[in-house]
Amino acid sequence: MSEPTEQAGVCDVSELKDEAGKLDAADELAALRERFVLDDVTYLDGNSLGALPAGVPARVADVVRRQWGELRIRSWEESGWWTAPERIGDRIAPLVGAAAGQIVVGDSTSVNVFKALVAAVRMAGEDGTGRDEILVDATTFPADGYIAESAARMTGCALRPVTPAEVPSALGDRTAAVLLNHVDYRTGRLHDLPALTAAVHEAGAYVVWDLCHSAGALPVGLDEYGVDLAVGCTYKYLNGGPGSPAYLYVRHGLQDRFDSPLPGWNSHAEPFGMRPGYIPAAGASRGRVGTPDILSLLALEAALQVWDGVSVEAVRAKSLALTDFFLRCVGEYVLDGRVESLTPAAHAERGSQVALRCDDAGDVMKRLIERGVVGDFRAPDVLRFGFTPLYVGFADVERAARVLAETLV
């Protein structure tokens, strides 16, 4: 892989290179990069798939060879397989501002969205009649919209797509539940979780937050802001691996009322009683369905060890510094009018990615990847760059902007 030249810069490239070096030298999180398996590629796609934590391969090998290969069925108890969904949920909890006992890990994000949204509508129905409408984020990841449409049909609700900004005015006596994304997957816009949650509650409805693009990148504050239900994946900023299991958060005060539309044997109060009638388990375990995916679960548990001793607040501070620096480098290096940032400049409205609009974005991203700068493309014209503060440094940021400028010449 050849090193990019300095031909595209409209400023002195050496100045920004030097500044990047100084920022990396002062970075209190810089040493965390050693906890990952990385090479000389500038990897800015952790908002799609996080890098491999170095401790995962040995842990997975042990699970396969010893726990499965030698202990076999005994590992459900002796290796803690049975309790893994709750144990790993408690490991994720502080990363999203939740106390223990409120998160269970398992299934996919889409499955958990379905559970949470239907349960929210059912709780609203218990509160009183007439709540027969679901509001869904019109800018949401498409799968959330598909699930919301199915949940609406199943519960007899009308589905009303609105933008997050429109939610407060759209709420009313008919609103049963609201499904929102914390960070817009296209633009990186961070939505106001505290204010929107408060507005939904004031209207007497329940809120479900999708945290896929915020957990592990910034403080969430589920308990602090009284969020009802939340879901999220673990393969982005939590680095759990491709297809790693998602999680479901159910606030303590709602757990006795949580009525899952997928009552599986794993969430039964007596899972091995094999009774014909369903009695839900206590606590967050009501969110379980079938047999846990042990290999993926325990790989995720190993991956979460990279968070030992790491403050989410420090991660957020570095995330903002990285994205600020990237936007600055793009502004200095890229010719005027070649790209347009879709990501808000205000810190309060920015997640941990930068989205740039570019006419030939698909081809540009292919050429960037060929030169060792990996981001991703979203149709029709968006370049996305994700900044995972645990392993991305300021030199990575400067190089990415410089290669982008040269690619766009």
Coordinates of all heavy atoms in Angstrom, one line a residue, residues 119-157:
A119 N -44.5 -5.0 23.4 CA -44.7 -5.0 24.9 C -45.1 -3.6 25.3 O -46.0 -3.4 26.2 CB -43.5 -5.4 25.6
A120 N -44.6 -2.5 24.6 CA -44.9 -1.1 25.0 C -46.4 -0.9 24.6 O -47.1 -0.2 25.4 CB -44.0 -0.2 24.2
V121 N -46.8 -1.3 23.5 CA -48.3 -1.1 23.1 C -49.2 -1.9 24.1 O -50.2 -1.3 24.5 CB -48.5 -1.6 21.7 CG1 -50.0 -1.6 21.4 CG2 -47.7 -0.8 20.7
R122 N -48.8 -3.1 24.5 CA -49.6 -3.8 25.5 C -49.7 -3.1 26.8 O -50.7 -3.1 27.4 CB -49.0 -5.2 25.6 CG -49.3 -6.1 24.4 CD -48.6 -7.5 24.5 NE -49.0 -8.3 23.4 CZ -48.5 -9.6 23.2 NH1 -47.7 -10.1 24.1 NH2 -48.9 -10.3 22.2
M123 N -48.6 -2.5 27.3 CA -48.6 -1.8 28.5 C -49.5 -0.5 28.4 O -50.2 -0.2 29.3 CB -47.2 -1.4 28.9 CG -46.4 -2.6 29.4 SD -44.8 -2.1 30.2 CE -43.9 -1.6 28.8
A124 N -49.4 0.1 27.2 CA -50.3 1.3 27.0 C -51.7 0.9 27.1 O -52.6 1.6 27.6 CB -49.9 2.0 25.7
G125 N -52.0 -0.3 26.5 CA -53.4 -0.8 26.5 C -53.9 -1.0 28.0 O -55.1 -0.8 28.3
E126 N -53.0 -1.5 28.8 CA -53.4 -1.7 30.2 C -53.7 -0.4 30.9 O -54.5 -0.4 31.9 CB -52.2 -2.4 30.9 CG -52.0 -3.9 30.5 CD -50.8 -4.5 31.1 OE1 -50.1 -3.7 31.8 OE2 -50.5 -5.7 30.9
D127 N -53.0 0.7 30.5 CA -53.2 2.0 31.1 C -54.5 2.6 30.9 O -55.0 3.4 31.6 CB -52.1 2.9 30.7 CG -50.7 2.5 31.2 OD1 -50.6 1.7 32.1 OD2 -49.7 3.0 30.6
G128 N -55.1 2.2 29.7 CA -56.4 2.8 29.4 C -56.7 2.6 27.9 O -55.9 2.1 27.2
T129 N -58.0 2.8 27.5 CA -58.4 2.6 26.2 C -58.0 3.7 25.2 O -57.7 4.9 25.7 CB -59.9 2.4 26.1 OG1 -60.6 3.5 26.6 CG2 -60.3 1.2 27.0
G130 N -58.1 3.5 24.0 CA -57.9 4.5 23.0 C -56.5 4.8 22.5 O -56.3 5.6 21.5
R131 N -55.5 4.1 23.0 CA -54.2 4.3 22.6 C -53.9 3.3 21.5 O -53.5 2.1 21.8 CB -53.2 4.2 23.7 CG -53.4 5.4 24.7 CD -52.2 5.6 25.6 NE -52.4 6.7 26.5 CZ -52.0 8.0 26.1 NH1 -51.3 8.2 25.0 NH2 -52.2 9.0 27.0
D132 N -54.1 3.7 20.3 CA -54.0 2.8 19.1 C -53.1 3.3 18.0 O -53.3 3.0 16.8 CB -55.4 2.5 18.6 CG -56.1 3.8 18.1 OD1 -55.5 4.9 18.3 OD2 -57.2 3.7 17.6
E133 N -52.1 4.0 18.4 CA -51.1 4.6 17.4 C -49.7 4.4 17.8 O -49.4 4.6 19.0 CB -51.4 6.1 17.1 CG -50.6 6.7 16.1 CD -51.0 8.2 15.9 OE1 -50.6 9.0 16.7 OE2 -51.6 8.5 14.8
I134 N -48.9 4.0 16.9 CA -47.4 3.9 17.1 C -46.7 5.0 16.2 O -47.0 5.1 15.0 CB -46.9 2.5 16.7 CG1 -47.5 1.4 17.5 CG2 -45.3 2.5 16.8 CD1 -47.1 0.0 17.1
L135 N -45.9 5.8 16.9 CA -45.1 6.7 16.1 C -43.7 6.1 15.9 O -43.1 5.5 16.8 CB -44.9 8.0 16.9 CG -46.1 8.8 17.3 CD1 -45.7 10.1 18.0 CD2 -47.0 9.1 16.1
V136 N -43.2 6.2 14.7 CA -41.9 5.6 14.4 C -41.0 6.7 13.7 O -41.5 7.5 12.9 CB -42.0 4.3 13.5 CG1 -42.7 4.7 12.1 CG2 -40.7 3.7 13.2
D137 N -39.8 6.7 14.0 CA -38.8 7.6 13.4 C -38.8 7.4 11.9 O -38.4 6.3 11.4 CB -37.4 7.3 14.0 CG -36.3 8.2 13.6 OD1 -36.5 8.9 12.6 OD2 -35.2 8.1 14.2
A138 N -39.2 8.4 11.2 CA -39.2 8.3 9.7 C -37.9 8.2 9.1 O -37.7 7.8 7.9 CB -40.0 9.5 9.2
T139 N -36.8 8.6 9.8 CA -35.4 8.5 9.3 C -34.7 7.2 9.8 O -33.5 7.1 9.6 CB -34.6 9.7 9.8 OG1 -34.5 9.7 11.2 CG2 -35.3 11.0 9.3
T140 N -35.5 6.3 10.4 CA -34.8 5.2 11.0 C -34.2 4.2 10.1 O -34.5 4.2 8.9 CB -35.9 4.4 11.9 OG1 -35.2 3.4 12.7 CG2 -36.9 3.7 11.0
F141 N -33.3 3.4 10.6 CA -32.8 2.3 9.8 C -34.0 1.4 9.3 O -34.9 1.2 10.0 CB -31.9 1.4 10.7 CG -31.1 0.3 9.9 CD1 -30.1 0.7 9.1 CD2 -31.5 -1.0 10.0 CE1 -29.4 -0.3 8.4 CE2 -30.8 -2.0 9.3 CZ -29.7 -1.6 8.5
P142 N -34.0 1.1 8.0 CA -35.1 0.4 7.4 C -35.7 -0.7 8.2 O -36.9 -0.9 8.3 CB -34.6 0.0 6.0 CG -33.6 1.0 5.7 CD -32.9 1.3 7.0
A143 N -34.9 -1.6 8.7 CA -35.4 -2.8 9.5 C -36.3 -2.4 10.6 O -37.3 -3.0 10.9 CB -34.2 -3.6 10.0
D144 N -35.9 -1.3 11.3 CA -36.8 -0.8 12.4 C -38.2 -0.5 11.9 O -39.2 -0.7 12.5 CB -36.2 0.4 13.1 CG -35.1 0.0 14.1 OD1 -34.6 -1.2 14.0 OD2 -34.6 0.8 14.9
G145 N -38.2 0.2 10.7 CA -39.5 0.5 10.1 C -40.3 -0.7 9.7 O -41.5 -0.7 9.9
Y146 N -39.6 -1.7 9.2 CA -40.3 -3.0 8.8 C -40.9 -3.6 10.1 O -42.1 -4.1 10.0 CB -39.4 -4.0 8.2 CG -38.5 -3.5 7.0 CD1 -37.3 -4.1 6.7 CD2 -39.0 -2.4 6.2 CE1 -36.5 -3.6 5.7 CE2 -38.2 -2.0 5.1 CZ -37.0 -2.6 4.9 OH -36.2 -2.2 3.8
I147 N -40.1 -3.7 11.1 CA -40.6 -4.3 12.4 C -41.8 -3.5 12.9 O -42.8 -4.0 13.4 CB -39.5 -4.4 13.4 CG1 -38.4 -5.3 12.9 CG2 -40.0 -4.8 14.7 CD1 -38.8 -6.8 12.8
A148 N -41.7 -2.2 12.9 CA -42.8 -1.3 13.4 C -44.1 -1.5 12.7 O -45.1 -1.6 13.2 CB -42.4 0.2 13.4
E149 N -43.9 -1.7 11.3 CA -45.1 -1.9 10.5 C -45.8 -3.3 10.9 O -47.0 -3.4 11.0 CB -44.8 -1.9 9.0 CG -46.0 -2.1 8.1 CD -45.6 -2.0 6.6 OE1 -44.4 -1.9 6.4 OE2 -46.5 -2.2 5.8
S150 N -45.0 -4.3 11.1 CA -45.5 -5.6 11.5 C -46.1 -5.5 12.9 O -47.2 -6.1 13.1 CB -44.4 -6.6 11.5 OG -44.9 -7.9 11.9
A151 N -45.5 -4.8 13.8 CA -46.0 -4.7 15.2 C -47.3 -4.0 15.2 O -48.2 -4.3 15.9 CB -45.0 -4.0 16.1
A152 N -47.4 -3.0 14.3 CA -48.7 -2.2 14.2 C -49.8 -3.1 13.8 O -50.9 -3.1 14.3 CB -48.5 -1.0 13.3
R153 N -49.5 -3.9 12.7 CA -50.6 -4.8 12.2 C -51.0 -5.8 13.3 O -52.2 -6.1 13.5 CB -50.1 -5.6 11.0 CG -49.9 -4.7 9.8 CD -49.9 -5.6 8.5 NE -48.9 -6.7 8.6 CZ -47.6 -6.6 8.2 NH1 -47.2 -5.5 7.7 NH2 -46.8 -7.7 8.3
M154 N -50.0 -6.3 14.0 CA -50.3 -7.3 15.0 C -51.1 -6.8 16.2 O -52.0 -7.5 16.7 CB -49.0 -7.9 15.6 CG -49.1 -8.9 16.7 SD -47.5 -9.5 17.2 CE -48.0 -10.6 18.6
T155 N -50.9 -5.5 16.6 CA -51.5 -5.0 17.7 C -52.8 -4.1 17.3 O -53.4 -3.6 18.2 CB -50.6 -4.1 18.5 OG1 -50.0 -3.0 17.6 CG2 -49.4 -4.9 19.1
G156 N -53.1 -4.0 16.1 CA -54.2 -3.2 15.6 C -54.0 -1.7 15.7 O -55.0 -1.0 15.8
C157 N -52.8 -1.3 15.7 CA -52.4 0.1 15.8 C -52.2 0.7 14.4 O -51.8 0.0 13.4 CB -51.2 0.3 16.6 SG -51.4 0.1 18.4

